[in-house]
Amino acid sequence: MQFEIHKKDVHSRARTASLHTDHGVIETPIFMPVGTVASVKAVHQRELNDDIRAQIILGNTYHLYLRPGTDILEAAGGLHKFINWQKPILTDSGGYQVYSLSDRRKLTEEGVKFKSHIDGSYHFFSPENAMGIQRKIGADIVMAFDECTAFPSEYKAARLSMEMTHRWLDRCVKYMAESEPLYGYEQFLFPIVQGSTYTDLRKISAEYIAQVGAVGNAIGGLSVGEPEEEMYAMTDVVTEILPADKPRYLMGVGTPWNILESIALGVDMFDCVMPTRNARNGMLFTWNGVMNMKNAKWKDDFSALDELGTSYVDKEYSKAYVRHLFISGEYLGKQIASVHNLAFYLDLVRVAREKINEGSFAQWKDEMVPKLKQRL
């Protein structure tokens, strides 16, 4: 995997780069739509390709393992073929889902025994089989198996969790080195920095991850309830330590303004369920701020859904019509809103790349953040 840096911003750590994989080149900074169960909810692959212009999507190891199962995915020739997606895929390790199942899991040094949310059956994830499952899924980028620390977390608990994440990482690295991809293309491991909101732990973890020498690195355990300023502070600490010549991925982030602020801190890759989850509830992100499509103010507004948007839904449907769909409980409203939000997120990082290349990113970011936060 080659990571080629093109331009660095002189007023921040923001940069543009190209990340080369066997399924194509990813231009960074980039946002990855989340395809939890082999599907980006309410969005066709054709729309992801042609209208949203996604360059890479994310699959969820925990959910794909349970349904449709690795046997089906392997028989199909991997997730790319199963869902008819020719571009890169990144899979998380399942660590976050295990974290979210705190009432139905048992954690030991060997791994995590957990109870399926589908049928109550018991399963076990270790660093080794989490890597094996991701091999079978067929992701281009696989994430190390980690323990995501809750917020707030006591210092001792955060330290012990981080140390176990590091031990698990060593086992992940060993498994990946001793195993082969199944489908004829390379798969690359990204380690994950942990440490909660403790600066010293984040430094220790970032230094440990950096010495592994992986082709890319991730920052986990943020966007789990901590204040935004703490998220930015921890990201700042970590990006200063992680190798500048490798891609940096901030997991599970976030709002449009979170993304711009984190790009300025040196982050290259993002994912979040927010654009599609909020869309299904009628919340749209736009260049002028946030719209709640259920509000009565849009009832007789026949202007385009988003005059500044670039997707077909922004031009073809009015605010009044989309509001009507939500008020009526029509599924089409969720689909239109999902396409809009994802297209906006991909537009946001595309324009960010343009501004970095032009040398005007920092000023543009400072102007855009308060505008993006506005409630319309």
Side-chain angles (χ1 to χ4, degrees):
M1 180 180 286
Q2 180 187 358
F3 185 63
E4 180 184 3
I5 297 174
H6 303 305
K7 187 72 180 264
K8 296 180 180 179
D9 181 53
V10 296
H11 301 293
S12 70
R13 292 200 196 109
R15 70 267 187 89
T16 58
S18 299
L19 180 60
H20 297 257
T21 77
D22 287 349
H23 279 103
V25 179
I26 304 159
E27 300 298 334
T28 65
I30 192 62
F31 178 82
M32 300 179 283
V34 176
T36 305
V37 193
S39 165
V40 176
K41 291 188 188 301
V43 178
H44 294 291
Q45 276 79 316
R46 183 177 296 176
E47 289 171 316
L48 284 171
N49 263 314
D50 300 341
D51 200 60
I52 294 165
R53 291 175 287 180
Q55 299 181 39
I56 175 174
I57 61 174
L58 182 144
N60 187 283
T61 294
Y62 165 85
H63 288 286
L64 292 170
Y65 163 78
L66 292 176
R67 280 191 306 210
T70 52
D71 289 346
I72 296 294
L73 292 174
E74 198 169 358
L79 185 59
H80 289 87
K81 291 185 177 179
F82 186 61
I83 67 173
N84 191 27
W85 177 254
Q86 285 77 42
K87 296 178 182 179
I89 295 174
L90 178 148
T91 44
D92 65 10
S93 68
Y96 181 80
Q97 278 64 43
V98 168
Y99 145 81
S100 67
L101 296 171
S102 56
D103 60 335
R104 55 174 72 193
R105 63 155 166 86
K106 182 179 180 182
L107 187 119
T108 66
E109 183 68 31
E110 270 308 298
V112 183
K113 182 179 180 181
F114 61 91
K115 194 174 182 180
S116 166
H117 72 286
I118 299 169
D119 59 9
S121 58
Y122 283 95
H123 304 268
F124 182 76
F125 274 8
S126 69
E128 291 80 10
N129 72 7
M131 296 300 97
I133 292 166
Q134 290 182 83
R135 286 280 203 209
K136 291 179 179 178
I137 292 171
D140 300 89
I141 300 171
V142 306
M143 303 307 300
F145 190 59
D146 66 328
E147 184 190 2
C148 181
T149 310
F151 178 86
S153 177
E154 292 185 359
Y155 182 87
K156 182 179 179 182
R159 178 176 58 81
L160 291 174
S161 174
M162 176 200 72
E163 290 170 349
M164 185 158 68
T165 287
H166 294 169
R167 294 192 297 274
W168 283 359
L169 171 60
D170 293 341
R171 291 163 60 185
C172 292
V173 170
K174 184 174 186 291
Y175 182 94
M176 291 296 286
E178 294 175 353
S179 62
E180 294 291 333
L182 298 179
Y183 309 114
Y185 53 85
E186 287 297 319
Q187 296 176 296
F188 297 95
L189 174 68
F190 279 25
I192 303 173
V193 175
Q194 289 291 349
S196 188
T197 52
Y198 298 102
T199 300
D200 61 330
L201 295 183
R202 285 286 174 179
K203 287 181 177 178
I204 291 167
S205 190
E207 288 165 357
Y208 192 93
I209 266 62
Q211 60 84 33
V212 169
V215 298
N217 300 292
I219 306 165
L222 295 175
S223 192
V224 291
E226 78 283 356
E228 284 185 349
E229 293 310 313
E230 289 199 44
M231 177 179 71
Y232 298 145
M234 294 302 101
T235 301
D236 188 26
V237 166
V238 170
T239 54
E240 193 169 3
I241 296 169
L242 291 179
D245 61 343
K246 307 286 179 66
R248 305 179 184 119
Y249 164 33
L250 182 55
M251 305 178 75
V253 174
T255 63
W257 49 94
N258 289 160
I259 288 174
L260 292 188
E261 295 288 9
S262 300
I263 288 172
L265 295 172
V267 175
D268 307 293
M269 302 170 68
F270 302 88
D271 82 282
C272 191
V273 297
M274 184 173 286
T276 46
R277 178 177 289 169
N278 287 26
R280 296 194 300 277
N281 292 311
M283 179 181 285
L284 269 61
F285 297 101
T286 78
W287 289 104
N288 291 317
V290 183
M291 295 194 299
N292 181 347
M293 297 315 299
K294 297 178 183 179
N295 285 351
K297 67 183 296 183
W298 312 119
K299 184 176 181 178
D300 57 357
D301 187 335
F302 303 108
S303 62
L305 183 61
D306 184 3
E307 293 85 349
L308 299 178
T310 62
S311 73
Y312 78 93
V313 299
D314 295 321
K315 312 301 182 188
E316 294 183 5
Y317 303 111
S318 70
K319 297 180 180 73
Y321 178 57
V322 174
R323 178 187 182 272
H324 158 72
L325 293 173
F326 274 103
I327 296 300
S328 303
E330 288 291 332
Y331 290 120
L332 180 58
K334 301 175 189 291
Q335 185 176 356
I336 290 171
S338 297
V339 171
H340 161 80
N341 274 357
L342 286 175
F344 170 73
Y345 267 60
L346 269 296
D347 272 348
L348 183 71
V349 291
R350 176 184 57 80
V351 175
R353 294 194 298 268
E354 291 176 357
K355 298 299 181 180
I356 295 168
N357 289 335
E358 292 170 2
S360 59
F361 172 78
Q363 180 180 347
W364 173 77
K365 184 267 294 181
D366 289 343
E367 292 171 355
M368 285 306 306
V369 165
K371 186 179 289 189
L372 293 171
K373 288 183 174 182
Q374 291 181 127
R375 294 287 174 143
L376 300 177

